[in-house]
Amino acid sequence: MNVRHATVDDAEELAHLILQVEKEAEFMLFEAGERTLTPDLQRSQIEAMQNEENSTILVAEADGKLVGYLVARGGSARRNKHTVYIVIGVLASYRGKGIGTMLFAELERWARTKGIHRLELTVVVNNQRAVSLYRKMGFEREGIKRHSLLIHGQYIDEYYMAKLL
């Protein structure tokens, strides 16, 4: 298992991975097939983030392929450049194998070298597996976004969670 920063050479495989995770996961923002993510679009995103001091994409490799990712998007204003907003996804067949833990550990190492002070995310309240991972990694619940998402015809709350470094 290897965790590293994404490069433009990962664009095609990463785009496929993100779309596959959206197909498999019930709690992602985008539903299966809702958005078009091409290798060119992904390449552009990787290039743009490589030019931002406070943003990165981490990927996890196993068995010769990408199996997980973590996008950390830094604040764009002077007042929030010390924060990153996180989105994470792991293929269903690789969940529960420590990949999320490894991605977050690398994120924290990277964030400390960049002077990032706050890591933040939102998570569906009934996604207990994710909530447990985030708590294990030191995130605390700060609030609730009521009726934040509409999933299978039901309004679902999300937790705001954050970790201060």
Side-chain angles (χ1 to χ4, degrees):
M1 186 84 57
N2 181 37
V3 171
R4 61 177 175 77
H5 294 267
T7 69
V8 292
D9 293 337
D10 295 313
E12 185 171 352
E13 191 176 0
L14 181 57
H16 176 73
L17 170 64
I18 291 169
L19 293 173
Q20 184 64 33
V21 168
E22 289 173 356
K23 281 183 192 174
E24 297 175 349
E26 188 174 345
F27 301 118
M28 300 299 282
L29 175 61
F30 290 101
E31 295 178 7
E34 183 176 356
R35 67 173 164 165
T36 303
L37 181 59
T38 65
D40 286 340
L41 288 172
Q42 188 62 64
R43 186 174 292 102
S44 294
Q45 182 185 29
I46 293 168
E47 288 172 344
M49 292 178 78
Q50 286 175 336
N51 292 321
E52 297 172 14
E53 190 67 18
N54 62 346
S55 296
T56 194
I57 301 174
L58 300 173
V59 292
E61 295 176 302
D63 305 321
K65 65 179 184 174
L66 298 185
V67 298
Y69 64 91
L70 185 151
V71 177
R73 176 70 73 178
S76 58
R78 279 191 294 251
R79 292 183 176 186
N80 73 346
K81 282 195 177 287
H82 66 283
T83 69
V84 294
Y85 183 81
I86 300 158
V87 175
I88 184 172
V90 176
L91 288 175
S93 59
Y94 286 87
R95 292 182 195 145
K97 299 183 181 197
I99 293 170
T101 300
M102 292 173 62
L103 285 164
F104 272 103
E106 180 57 30
L107 171 70
E108 190 168 329
R109 279 190 289 279
W110 168 82
R112 289 181 187 280
T113 69
K114 297 297 183 179
I116 303 297
H117 179 66
R118 177 182 168 86
L119 309 176
E120 58 188 28
L121 53 83
T122 57
V123 59
V124 172
V125 297
N126 53 351
N127 185 350
Q128 289 306 312
R129 180 179 241 169
V131 171
S132 293
L133 169 64
Y134 304 151
R135 285 191 174 140
K136 177 177 108 172
M137 299 311 297
F139 284 73
E140 296 179 12
R141 194 173 82 191
E142 294 185 330
I144 296 179
K145 284 177 74 174
R146 295 178 36 215
H147 292 201
S148 177
L149 301 175
L150 182 63
I151 300 175
H152 303 302
Q154 286 193 286
Y155 291 106
I156 305 293
D157 297 346
E158 285 184 292
Y159 291 134
Y160 283 109
M161 297 185 79
K163 178 177 181 174
L164 302 180
L165 301 178

